[in-house]
Each structure stands twice: as structure tokens, then as C-alpha cells.
Amino acid sequence: MGKPSHRWLVFAILGLIANASVAWCATDCPQFYADEKAPGPPHTSIGRGAHELCFSFFAVMYSPETRTPLWSAEHLTAADVKKAARVPRRDRYHAEDRLPEDEQAENADYAHSGFDRGHMSPDNDMPTKVSEQESFSLSNMVPQAKRLNEGLWRSLEGYVRKMATKDGELYIVTGPVFEEGDEQLHDRVTIPSFTFKAIYDPALGGAAAYLATNVNATSCKVISIAKLRTMVGFNPFPGVSSTKSIPLPVPRRVRDQPGVCG
DNA sequence: CGGGCCTCCCCT
DNA sequence: AGGGGAGGCCCG
């Protein structure tokens, strides 16, 4: 059995390493990720050329193809929420100058488009002045339907902060879901069909995600991480072994019928 | 880059 | 029902 099985073992180990490197990704800011393991770019073509950008309170996987983040990740604690409430909001939407110019999204791309520059990691989570400004980088923005952004999405962000306060800490990964045929702003910035917000709650030992259609007649549901993975092509929490689902808070009242998550 | 405006959430 | 605050737009 000597040689062949030994050789087989080497290949098996190499295979495991290869699988591992597909599952997560080298990172410059492990502190934002559950078990310090960053999600990768999607294995689809949209992930081509995507790379991580670290900020002081969050990090994004930026795609030059879509000129949007593919995900934006935070580690939000109860203390952060408390601090963030005292940081005044200053709207300073800006192109991300750490990117090569031809990769950048610009304010002009969104102007008069009818779409909001929707935060992925939200402004209101940012516990410091610096991170608050950083959250206005267009590398943290996606074209989002106005009613969704100002309505349902905003309330979801509020629930998540409340949840972080109650349970102590959360790992949050937020981003767009693209589909074949999605249109672009100015042939430059791709408009996603959905946005998602995935939550890993260490206190509950599980995770789940919101998924909202990116239209003004908002509809929203809560899905499992496994389901989200099939939609986006990457694992938002590669460091989390348990895929146990947890309940996510949902809007109490209904304004326009399809606006509830369920 | 400030200021006026809009819509919507959420608390009272 | 009302009002403050939040997310974002546009125009000087």
C-alpha cells in the first residue's frame, strides 16, 4: 500500500486546501468576520476581478464589473449601537479613491436615475466619525429602489440594531443579488434584482437572511443561509459551521400589503 | 456644501 | 393623529 496510498493522501490534503480556499478568502481585516473568515467573491463571472476593501468598521468585496460591492460586512456590538446613536449624520457620498479610476462608481452615475444610493453597511451602525464618513463611499452603495430604501429596508436596519443590543453582538453581511439581464445606470453601475442582509447571531448560535426585491412595491422574505448561498454564489459566513436557522424580527404593521417579511 | 423638500418609520 | 427623526434627492 506504501506509495500509492501515500500519494493519494497528499492529493486529498491538497484537495481540502483547495476547497478551503474556495470557501473563504484571504483578508486584511479579519475582525469583521465570524471566526475571522472572510466570504469569498462569488464563483460566477460577476466575481471576476473583485477584491476586498477594508474600512475602519466594515469591509466590502468590490466588483469592478458591477461597480458595486458584492457584499459589505460588519461586526456590530451593543456598545457600537450605543456609540453610533451619538454620531451625527453627514451626507458625503463620494467615489472610492482607493480604487483605480476606471473601476470607480461616481455620484454622476446615480444622479437623476430614480435609484437611491443605498447603503449596504448602514450609516447608522457606524460608531465613529471616521467610519460614518467611510460608509458614504460608493464602494458601499448599490442602486436601490427609493421606496425600498426609505421604507422597509430602513426598518430592517433598525431591527438589526435592536437585535445587536439585545444579544450583544452580530455578524452582518449585506449585499446585492444580481440576475441575468439586470440593467445598468449609464452602462456602468448594475442595478441588482434583490438586496439581502444576512445575520449571524453568536448568542443564538444560528443565522438567517432578509431578502428584498429591489422595486418600489417592496416584497421581502426571510430565507436560510443555504438558500442565500445558492442565489449569490458565496457563503456569507464561511467561519460558521452550524447553518441552524434563527427567526428574524419582522415589521409589525403593514403599509402596502407585500411589504412584510415572512 | 449648505439648505429646502420629500417620504416613511415609529413613538407618544 | 401628530410630530420628530431618518434616508435620500435636487438645486443654488
Side-chain angles (χ1 to χ4, degrees):
Chain A
M1 285 263 226
K3 267 185 192 162
S5 69
H6 183 252
R7 185 184 243 169
W8 190 89
L9 183 63
V10 169
F11 276 108
I13 290 171
L14 286 176
L16 280 178
I17 292 170
N19 267 339
S21 70
V22 168
W24 67 82
C25 208
T27 174
D28 291 328
C29 42
Q31 68 271 28
F32 301 134
Y33 311 116
D35 199 30
E36 305 196 335
K37 291 185 175 59
H43 49 56
T44 56
S45 68
I46 225 153
R48 198 176 4 193
H51 48 92
E52 179 190 62
L53 281 176
C54 294
F55 295 87
S56 59
F57 191 74
F58 65 99
V60 304
M61 176 65 68
Y62 186 78
S63 164
E65 303 264 333
T66 61
R67 288 193 174 83
T68 67
L70 300 178
W71 48 256
S72 183
E74 330 151 56
H75 175 219
L76 185 67
T77 68
D80 293 326
V81 174
K82 195 172 285 181
K83 283 168 68 180
R86 316 179 58 91
V87 177
R89 178 184 173 115
R90 303 284 307 174
D91 292 37
R92 296 274 186 277
Y93 298 90
H94 58 273
E96 179 49 58
D97 57 17
R98 284 189 289 165
L99 293 167
E101 199 135 341
D102 62 333
E103 291 190 7
Q104 295 177 10
E106 295 166 10
N107 283 322
D109 293 326
Y110 287 78
H112 308 104
S113 68
F115 284 86
D116 280 8
R117 292 164 288 193
H119 282 76
M120 294 296 93
S121 286
D123 168 76
N124 248 19
D125 287 3
M126 301 298 151
T128 66
K129 196 87 187 150
V130 168
S131 55
E132 196 272 345
Q133 297 280 355
E134 290 173 343
S135 81
F136 280 91
S137 167
L138 291 186
S139 69
N140 185 42
M141 304 280 176
V142 145
Q144 199 169 30
K146 188 177 183 58
R147 295 285 162 74
L148 172 63
N149 187 32
E150 293 179 343
L152 181 63
W153 200 253
R154 178 184 145 204
S155 51
L156 295 190
E157 292 172 345
Y159 299 145
V160 171
R161 278 188 289 277
K162 216 162 256 181
M163 201 170 160
T165 300
K166 183 157 79 70
D167 295 345
E169 62 167 338
L170 298 176
Y171 291 91
I172 307 164
V173 177
T174 310
V177 182
F178 296 102
E179 287 186 321
E180 202 64 37
D182 280 340
E183 300 192 347
Q184 298 183 312
L185 306 178
H186 295 8
D187 251 5
R188 287 168 49 87
V189 181
T190 312
I191 305 163
S193 292
F194 310 88
T195 52
F196 71 87
K197 184 178 286 293
I199 317 288
Y200 168 59
D201 187 326
L204 299 182
Y210 293 106
L211 179 73
T213 58
N214 191 18
V215 293
N216 281 325
T218 60
S219 97
C220 174
K221 48 185 183 171
V222 176
I223 62 173
S224 69
I225 299 301
K227 168 76 174 169
L228 180 64
R229 287 178 66 164
T230 68
M231 297 189 68
V232 295
F234 61 88
N235 184 353
F237 305 118
V240 177
S241 49
S242 156
T243 55
K244 184 185 119 183
S245 280
I246 56 169
L248 293 180
V250 140
R252 281 190 286 102
R253 275 201 347 250
V254 196
R255 263 217 124 77
D256 48 331
Q257 268 316 339
V260 207
C261 306

